[in-house]
Amino acid sequence: MYLRSNRRFKDGKEHRYWSIVESKRCSGGKVVQRQVLYLGEINDSQHEAWCRVIEAFDEEARQSRQLALFPADRPIPGHAEGHGVRVRLAAMQLHRPRQWGACWLACHLYEQLELDSFFAACLPDSREGTCWRHILQTLVCYRLIDPGSEWRLHRLWFEQSAMGDLLGEDFSLVEKNALYRCLDKLLEHKGALFSHLRQRWQDLFGASFDVLLYDLTSTYFESDPQEDETDKRRHGYSRDKRPDCPQVVIALVVTPDGFPLAYEVLPGNTSDKTTLRSFLAKIEAQYGKAQRIWVMDRGIPTEDVLAEMRQADPPVSYLVGTPKGRLGKLEKSLLDLPWQAVRPGVDVKLLAKDEELYVLAKSRARVDKERAMRQRQLRWLWARLKHLSTMSLTREALLMKLGAARAKAPAAWRLVDTKVDPQTALFSYALNRNKLRQVRRREGRYLLRTNMGSQDPAALWRFYIQLTEVEAAFNCGRSIINWSSASRPTSSSPSWPMACTSRCAPGSSLWQPASPHEPCSTNSPPSRCSMSTSQPQTAAP
């Protein structure tokens, strides 16, 4: 192997881009270079460092040279005389290969956030010598590099990583029960941890906390309902369409950059609209009073809470979505107002009413998406109804099949008028063109309301679109692994740290369930977990 450079002239200046390449001799004596690693532009000291890595130093000649390796049972070819070395391949063994680079980088990020010094004071070693801060650092690095369950960390990942070498620990660091107990020890430091991370994010990235995005999701468990009244696993409204399973509700407050400021694990029967008031008080108590803008999806705030936000001192600004029914009430007032372009493909109308500003946004991309979805559903439903009309069915069987078609295409069903004969298995269907025109007029449009009358409409639209970042934060763990097989044998209720950010910063993703391919613990009760988010009705940015 050797270093090879490629020259490029840009803006009257020569640039050199370096790569590590390997020469491979092919048939016919042809030599082909294989690029092993692209280095980009490097300075002289970096160039010398890479030369020391890929070259061997000859002590007799007092100089560096490149070597070529050949099997010991073959003679060295003539072209390699002087730099060929014969190796006994049969005697070579590979012992415990480990992942080093990712572990080192994760530990470096952990130290950049000063989490090592923060938890050194919060998690002292036990009398038995258990180093809780190193266990936690291993858990955080594991979540960042290869998310999975604590059981998988204990059984597989630790032996395949260099965390033990980097921390100077052995396998006792990942004893199974210690991993679970470490998570329980974090709960009392949750508020201090968020205050610490907020300061570090501000120092490192200049993060702003003027705009807060608030959303909720749920996680369900395939387990028996808990009889303990203090257990947070309860039956409630299921976003996953699994009302048969107990669940917990997770509320998260993040910045538009994806930095979490607070989270809470709530009982599974908690209503979304009852959570906002407590979170307003929680953020104010922890971070003080300030001019903040709360961005939320429809269904979270109530009229009473919004009135309290407007009357607070200082007033708390908000930007929320509104149900589609309110759009119908304001449609006449909005009809004569002009559209204002806030960015290519996005137009808004502004209506001031009752101390609030209503923003009707129209996204051409969202129009195309919703129209395609509606057309696909309507085509399928029309073909299904046509097929049912040719079948010989009893009246009961016909009603069952019509109900199944309605459940599969609910949006298209509202556009079709169906009538079933009360005595026979005959029915008729027709397209309701008035409803279709109304739906077409509203496709790709959504109504926002705010008490920030002086804000730029483009900024208001951007704030609300950033709610999709919250959805991405909820889904970042699930995009890597499927949420399943979650069990906590040392806790009576699911209250462990469960925050995940779109930046996936070390320390922010403290708990994730296992992936489905992982082995189950014989000491843990059978339980499965899944996660779902409520998607905001917004246009894609």
Side-chain angles (χ1 to χ4, degrees), residues 128-179:
E128 293 80 9
T130 303
C131 187
W132 295 111
R133 65 182 187 278
H134 283 175
I135 294 176
L136 178 60
Q137 185 171 348
T138 302
L139 282 166
V140 172
C141 295
Y142 169 57
R143 293 294 184 270
L144 180 65
I145 299 170
D146 188 14
S149 68
E150 290 78 14
W151 178 248
R152 179 170 172 265
L153 168 60
H154 166 76
R155 283 289 302 272
L156 299 174
W157 188 81
F158 184 78
E159 288 291 333
Q160 300 171 359
S161 72
M163 289 303 300
D165 304 89
L166 291 168
L167 298 177
E169 299 280 357
D170 54 20
F171 189 77
S172 63
L173 184 71
V174 290
E175 193 271 327
K176 176 170 63 69
N177 292 332
L179 295 176

Side-chain angles (χ1 to χ4, degrees), residues 295-309:
V295 184
M296 299 160 284
D297 200 13
R298 65 188 184 204
I300 294 179
T302 62
E303 292 296 333
D304 293 339
V305 175
L306 292 180
E308 293 175 8
M309 295 174 71

Side-chain angles (χ1 to χ4, degrees), residues 224-239:
D224 296 330
Q226 301 297 314
E227 297 180 358
D228 186 2
E229 295 183 356
T230 62
D231 198 299
K232 294 185 178 181
R233 286 172 287 185
R234 295 292 174 190
H235 289 282
Y237 169 71
S238 176
R239 297 169 175 84

